[in-house]
Amino acid sequence: MAALPASVPPTHPAVVITAIRQPLEITNLPTVPPGDGEVLIHVTWTSSSPLDLHRADGGLLVSTTPFPMGSSFAGTVVALGGRGRGGASSADSRLRVGDQVFGFAMDGSAEAAGAQTYVTQPTWRVSKLPPNLTLAEAVGVPTNLVTAFHAITADLGLELPWPVPQGWTPPRADELVLVWGAASSVGMYVLQVLRHWGYRNVLAVASGKHHDSLKALGAKECFDYRNAGVVDEILGYVERVKGRVANGPKLPSIVDCIGSKEGTLRPLTKIAEPGSNVAVMLPVINVHASEDQVPEYEMDVSKVLPGEWREGVDVKGTRTHFYARNEFFKEHLQAEIVPTLLEQGVVQPNKQRFVEGKTLLERAQNALNLLRSQAVSGEKLVWRVAEEED
Ligand SMILES: NC(=O)c1ccc[n+]([C@@H]2O[C@H](COP(=O)([O-])OP(=O)(O)OC[C@H]3O[C@@H](n4cnc5c(N)ncnc54)[C@H](OP(=O)(O)O)[C@@H]3O)[C@@H](O)[C@H]2O)c1
């Protein structure tokens, strides 16, 4: 294990949940020297995810407190650990002290959660900042871009080979894919990934104000979930273009980017047909948090609306925290694929909304309050962690 550089403090501030539905707090955590295959990063930016709210207000999978927050980090490498057992990996040899980097972190981890001024990360979770982006632009990308890859491959079974073979067309390129909640952060990355890999009949469900921008990200047709007749509009469209899949369902693949029992799952029970695969972002939100309302979540999708799905619909709960079970993605997704797609302009970062506050704690609390009031629409909340730039 490397020693800490003299300029790095032995402890540093971290945003933590200490009790459910109580104000967030700052605690000092030890700065952990990087071990084999790890790097120490000074964190200047993080971004919020609805998971922060599910944790803080619903105690979702919070087994102990204080619980360090933050699923993303962006900052500067300040120390490198060893090269990892079995020799140098490609990820290790990419990184140098002084590099600007970003990544999808494991919240709850005392050394890796993103909302603290120093994080110690395994190198496979670290992307180098491409020259065309700032850290503040990049920090909101990896969590949900990784989610898009995981849901499309692990849950829907669609192929995303890397690198994309020259002249490759997916065997299922013409099949319909329905992305419900396409203006969410997850949804916007799902659209961009499907477009790049050649899936050309992707339908998006989002508020009407987002339809033009979603078409620019690859949606073939858009539907407004705020219209009472949206289910019939989608079914009518699917019926008009049926016949794309030789012997299968007319709508084989559905991504529910929201996972709301009444807002998304109930309408999808009327749309999915035998043979449809439905990937649902967990947790299912039975009741959304608000100032006065304790939220209710469900991690087992089979317990939601049982008996209302048609026989033969395959509903899976997406859990991106397990994406590294795919060894190829573990090695290549954050180290190589994410920064390459950003550098090539294949994937555009979500629009950022900067959350202000005089202190780290104030910014963290303000961001959580915005999530609770459901004020996020077509954007990502981004906020400073360390006050000083490197
Ligand atoms: N389990 C996992 O692996 C995993 C990974 C990532 C995210 N998630 C979960 O997925 C959910 C979405 O995350 P996110 O970061 O993408 O959220 P987000 O960007 O904060 O979501 C906000 C968007 O949700 C849309 N929305 C809300 N209700 C909707 C409905 N009934 N139909 C269609 N769109 C609706 C709104 O669209 P309009 O602006 O069009 O109104 C808004 O733009 C969260 O609950 C998160 O925890 C799970």
Side-chain angles (χ1 to χ4, degrees):
M1 189 171 283
L4 288 178
S7 57
V8 174
T11 64
H12 62 266
V15 181
V16 293
I17 298 166
T18 53
I20 304 312
R21 286 175 71 79
Q22 294 303 311
L24 301 174
E25 292 187 19
I26 296 286
T27 195
N28 276 325
L29 291 178
T31 311
V32 178
D36 282 354
E38 293 179 337
V39 285
L40 178 65
I41 296 159
H42 184 223
V43 180
T44 42
W45 294 95
T46 190
S47 63
S48 294
S49 151
L51 179 60
D52 299 346
L53 180 67
H54 308 331
R55 302 278 204 213
D57 275 22
L60 185 78
L61 303 179
V62 172
S63 48
T64 52
T65 53
F67 184 92
M69 294 184 70
S71 302
S72 62
F73 62 89
T76 304
V77 175
V78 292
L80 301 168
R83 290 289 178 186
R85 271 179 240 118
S89 72
S90 59
D92 288 330
S93 58
R94 290 174 300 129
L95 298 170
R96 299 277 179 274
V97 169
D99 281 348
Q100 293 196 302
V101 295
F102 63 101
F104 165 30
M106 198 62 212
D107 69 334
S109 158
E111 62 184 63
Q116 55 183 326
T117 58
Y118 287 90
V119 291
T120 307
Q121 299 290 344
T123 53
W124 56 267
R125 281 192 178 273
V126 178
S127 303
K128 269 180 84 162
L129 185 72
N132 53 330
L133 293 183
T134 63
L135 288 174
E137 287 168 328
V139 72
V141 177
T143 309
N144 288 336
L145 184 50
V146 170
T147 297
F149 275 93
H150 180 68
I152 292 168
T153 56
D155 297 327
L156 295 184
L158 296 174
E159 291 179 54
L160 300 174
W162 179 265
V164 186
Q166 191 85 31
W168 188 74
T169 304
R172 300 172 59 184
D174 289 322
E175 291 183 16
L176 293 177
V177 182
L178 181 71
V179 182
W180 192 300
S184 70
S185 172
V186 172
M188 288 188 279
Y189 293 122
V190 168
L191 289 184
Q192 294 180 81
V193 169
L194 289 172
R195 172 181 65 181
H196 182 59
W197 265 265
Y199 294 91
R200 34 192 179 224
N201 285 306
V202 180
L203 313 180
V205 184
S207 300
K209 66 179 176 181
H210 298 303
H211 287 186
D212 287 346
S213 61
L214 295 176
K215 283 186 177 162
L217 296 181
K220 169 125 184 187
E221 200 65 50
C222 294
F223 303 87
D224 192 337
Y225 72 92
R226 295 171 192 268
N227 288 348
V230 65
V231 166
D232 288 335
E233 285 172 32
I234 294 168
L235 289 173
Y237 181 91
V238 171
E239 194 57 33
R240 283 199 297 283
V241 301
K242 70 181 174 191
R244 290 215 168 95
V245 192
N247 295 310
K250 296 185 285 279
L251 183 49
S253 302
I254 298 172
V255 193
D256 176 353
C257 303
I258 309 299
S260 159
K261 179 182 167 194
E262 294 303 328
T264 60
L265 285 164
R266 192 173 294 284
L268 286 173
T269 60
K270 303 187 175 83
I271 291 173
E273 53 188 313
S276 296
N277 285 319
V278 187
V280 178
M281 294 304 128
L282 292 179
V284 174
I285 302 167
N286 288 335
V287 178
H288 201 282
S290 72
E291 277 296 325
D292 318 313
Q293 178 65 57
V294 178
E296 290 172 23
Y297 303 118
E298 175 56 64
M299 287 300 285
D300 182 350
V301 76
S302 70
K303 291 187 178 154
V304 184
L305 303 174
E308 301 209 18
W309 296 96
R310 272 179 264 182
E311 195 71 36
V313 176
D314 188 4
V315 186
K316 294 198 178 79
T318 296
R319 295 202 60 185
T320 307
H321 283 130
F322 298 123
Y323 89 93
R325 287 179 179 169
N326 176 325
E327 285 293 330
F328 183 83
F329 278 165
K330 178 176 177 182
E331 191 179 344
H332 295 280
L333 195 44
Q334 296 208 68
E336 180 188 336
I337 301 175
V338 167
T340 304
L341 294 177
L342 287 169
E343 182 162 4
Q344 293 175 346
V346 167
V347 167
Q348 301 289 333
N350 296 159
K351 195 174 106 196
Q352 295 102 53
R353 175 164 170 186
F354 289 98
V355 182
E356 303 295 343
K358 283 197 274 313
T359 62
L360 172 58
L361 182 60
E362 230 179 83
R363 295 187 286 275
Q365 190 64 56
N366 288 345
L368 190 66
N369 295 345
L370 286 169
L371 291 172
R372 189 180 293 118
S373 59
Q374 300 192 62
V376 178
S377 174
E379 63 199 355
K380 191 79 179 161
L381 301 180
V382 171
W383 36 288
R384 273 197 85 87
V385 181
E387 308 288 345
E388 72 280 13
E389 281 292 348
D390 288 291

